Structure formats: C-alpha cells, structure tokens
C-alpha cells in the first residue's frame, strides 16, 4: 500500500515537472496589419522577461526584417541537406530564429518539424504564419493559441472576421485572441467588442482582447535599423505594449493533453522518417490538413 502511494506521488511529480512548450501562432488579418512586426516584437518581449523563445519564420519575412543570414530551413533539414543546428540563428534579442520553409510551408510534416522547433525545451515557440495555402499551415495548426493581428481600418476588421470565420469552420476553433495594432486603448476595445459581438452571434466563437500597440514612430525607426522596437527603443510606447502583451501570454491558460507536446520527446526520432505517436493537442487535433 505504501509503495502504491509512493509510486502515485512519483508519477504526479513527473507529470507536474514535465516541461511543456507553448506554441503561439501569429496571423494577420491583412498584409498591412503588421503581423511579422508583432511576431518579432512578441518574441523579443518574451525573451526580455526571461523566457526561452524560438521564433518559427513561416512567412519568410522575419529573418530579412532583422537582416539575418540564413543557411537553410526546416525543409532542408528534413530533406537531409543541412544539419538541424545549422539553421538556428541567434538574434540580438536572445531569440532563436528558425526558418521553416516559406516556399511551401504547407508541405511540412508537423510530426517531424515540431521536434526541431522544441529542441532544448524552449518556453515558447512563436510562429510568424504564412499567408499562402490554407488558413493555417499544418505546423501552425498545432498551436495552443492563435493571435490575430489587425488594425482599426474597416478592411482590416473585415479581413479579421473572414479569417476567423474560415479558421472556425476549417479547424473547429472556438477561441481567438486579438491584438489591435496602431491603436489606442479605447479604439482597441471598441474594435474587439464589435468584432466579438458579431463573431459570437454568427459563429459561436469567443474573442479576447490580448492587447493593443499604439502608433509609434520608433517602430518604423527600429525597422530601418533591422531591429525590434523592444530591443532598439525599450522605453518607446510600442515596446512597453509588447512587454505587457508578453506578460499576458505567459499567464494564458495552457491546456495540455497526455499525447500532446509533452509526448514529443518520444517523437524526435521522426526526423529520421519514422512516425511516432499522434499529436492531439492544439488546433491540429481537429484539422483535416494533418490527418
């Protein structure tokens, strides 16, 4: 009896101690919404708060925005052309940037790609999502959280609703988080409230305002310097907003299933071509694209 209790206690300890990497998919409602800037600065802000962060560059825009040289991508690793460590680029923000395959990210097998992104058990993987193909790539479909970036412009709001509608029907997503870019607090709350009201009425989904980023000329200046505003101008209003967003992300509830990310350790061998256990966490659990 005592041994049984001790065994149960040890099993619980291991379950609690097991590290789970949070995956956040960042998508844009329109090309001018500022998706890549948001992904870069969110990753930088998370690192500022002491998080071990990997930025998965699916769009192909993140690395050029920082002026980083690349030596291949995950597609090249899976094809055996380069070693996994060769494609990992360390930024000045203490973020590890990993190019996915901006040419055809929809062809990447998430069961083989995720172990490459979660090597070393980072705290957070931020995906700067692709604009091509399906609403979410097979890789981004395994995210725990989907952050939709939009502006206050009517076209951006309409684009966000259209994207949320399609993502809801394609992946059975019921919750989205919204980041309103280039807006003040009151504007952001009005945009999110109106969008959430429409979405809940016609789609039965919930939207939560993750935060807002004010209009800030230092963002443009940082871009010209091929740096994030969080790194270049830490006291700028936009940088402060991204650090506040990072704190929110760190406290978002994280649902973990037994066969989810925590079980990926057994799937590292998938890189060699053998498929491990099913990944059933996140959006991908109900996605036809990963079946």
């Amino acid at each position: 009896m005592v041994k049984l209790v001790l065994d149960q206690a040890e099993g619980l300890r291991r379950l609690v101690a097991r590290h789970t990497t949070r995956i956040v998919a960042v998508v844009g409602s329109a090309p001018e919404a500022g998706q890549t800037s948001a992904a870069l600065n969110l990753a930088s802000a998370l690192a500022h708060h002491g998080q071990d962060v990997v930025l998965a560059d699916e769009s192909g825009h993140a690395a050029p925005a920082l002026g980083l040289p690349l030596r291949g991508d995950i597609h090249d690793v899976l094809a055996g052309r380069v070693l996994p460590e060769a494609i990992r680029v360390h930024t000045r923000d203490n973020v590890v940037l990993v190019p996915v395959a901006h040419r055809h990210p929809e062809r990447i097998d998430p069961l083989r790609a995720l172990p490459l992104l979660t090597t070393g058990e980072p705290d957070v993987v931020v995906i700067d999502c692709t604009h091509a193909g399906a609403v979410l790539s097979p890789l981004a479909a395994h995210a725990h959280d989907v952050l939709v970036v939009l502006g206050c412009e009517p076209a951006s709001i309409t684009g966000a609703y259209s994207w949320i509608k399609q993502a809801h029907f394609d992946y059975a997503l019921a919750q989205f988080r919204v980041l309103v870019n280039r807006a003040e607090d009151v504007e952001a709350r009005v945009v999110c409230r109106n969008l959430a009201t429409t979405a809940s009425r016609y789609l039965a989904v919930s939207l939560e305002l993750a935060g807002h980023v004010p209009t800030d000329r230092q963002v443009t200046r940082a871009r010209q310097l091929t740096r994030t505003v969080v790194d270049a101008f830490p006291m700028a209003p936009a940088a402060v907003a991204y650090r506040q967003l990072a704190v929110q992300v760190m406290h978002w509830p994280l649902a973990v299933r037994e066969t989810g990310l925590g079980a990926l350790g057994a799937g590292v061998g998938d890189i060699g071509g053998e498929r491990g256990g099913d990944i059933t966490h996140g959006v991908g659990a109900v996605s036809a694209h990963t079946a």
Side-chain angles (χ1 to χ4, degrees), residues 6-18:
L6 291 176
D7 288 344
Q8 290 176 338
E10 176 63 14
L12 179 60
R13 185 193 66 78
R14 291 180 179 179
L15 181 63
V16 172
R18 188 174 64 190

Side-chain angles (χ1 to χ4, degrees), residues 3-289:
K3 183 178 185 300
L4 177 61
V5 173
L6 291 176
D7 288 344
Q8 290 176 338
E10 176 63 14
L12 179 60
R13 185 193 66 78
R14 291 180 179 179
L15 181 63
V16 172
R18 188 174 64 190
H19 182 84
T20 300
T21 297
R22 178 190 294 277
I23 302 180
V24 181
V26 181
V27 301
S29 64
E32 66 277 3
Q35 169 194 317
T36 295
S37 178
L40 285 168
N41 280 286
L42 173 58
S44 178
L46 285 165
H48 170 86
H49 286 298
Q51 299 289 286
D52 186 4
V53 185
V54 171
L55 175 64
D57 183 5
E58 238 187 32
S59 70
H61 298 147
L66 297 179
L68 297 174
L70 301 179
R71 298 180 295 276
D73 53 32
I74 285 182
H75 187 274
D76 294 319
V77 173
L78 297 180
R81 289 189 287 267
V82 297
L83 295 175
E85 190 57 35
I87 66 171
R88 298 169 66 87
V89 182
H90 295 264
T91 75
R92 60 180 297 141
D93 307 65
N94 294 318
V95 172
V96 175
L97 186 145
V98 179
V100 178
H102 63 272
R103 296 183 297 273
H104 297 290
E106 70 279 1
R107 299 179 185 176
I108 295 293
D109 180 357
L111 292 177
R112 302 176 67 200
L114 278 170
L116 294 173
L117 292 174
T118 56
T119 297
E121 297 186 335
D123 297 306
V124 187
V125 171
V126 177
I127 304 178
D128 181 26
C129 294
T130 179
H131 295 285
V135 176
L136 288 171
S137 72
L139 180 60
H142 284 283
H144 297 96
D145 308 288
V146 177
L147 180 65
V148 182
V149 183
L150 70 154
C152 292
E153 306 81 12
S156 185
I157 298 172
T158 301
Y161 178 78
S162 298
W163 190 94
I164 290 169
K165 179 180 178 180
Q166 187 172 349
H168 171 63
F169 288 124
D170 286 358
Y171 300 96
L173 270 175
Q175 182 179 27
F176 301 85
R177 302 183 190 277
V178 173
L179 176 66
V180 185
N181 199 9
R182 297 183 293 272
E184 298 304 321
D185 180 64
V186 174
E187 294 176 294
R189 292 183 183 278
V190 170
V191 168
C192 185
R193 182 173 62 248
N194 292 341
L195 190 60
T197 300
T198 304
S200 62
R201 181 182 304 165
Y202 297 105
L203 301 178
V205 301
S206 65
L207 268 66
E208 180 180 329
L209 181 62
H212 73 282
V213 179
T215 301
D216 189 345
R217 62 185 181 85
Q218 298 290 52
V219 174
T220 301
R221 180 58 182 149
R223 187 182 307 119
Q224 294 169 344
L225 297 171
T226 61
R227 295 168 64 180
T228 64
V229 70
V230 172
D231 168 55
F233 306 106
M235 298 310 296
V240 173
Y242 278 117
R243 290 200 299 275
Q244 292 173 341
L245 172 63
V247 171
Q248 295 295 321
V249 171
M250 292 160 56
H251 289 89
W252 286 344
L254 179 61
V256 181
R257 303 182 187 179
E258 186 62 25
T259 54
L261 275 178
L264 273 177
V268 175
D270 295 343
I271 299 173
E274 300 223 349
R275 297 173 69 90
D278 292 336
I279 301 177
T280 59
H281 72 280
V283 186
V286 293
S287 169
H289 297 287

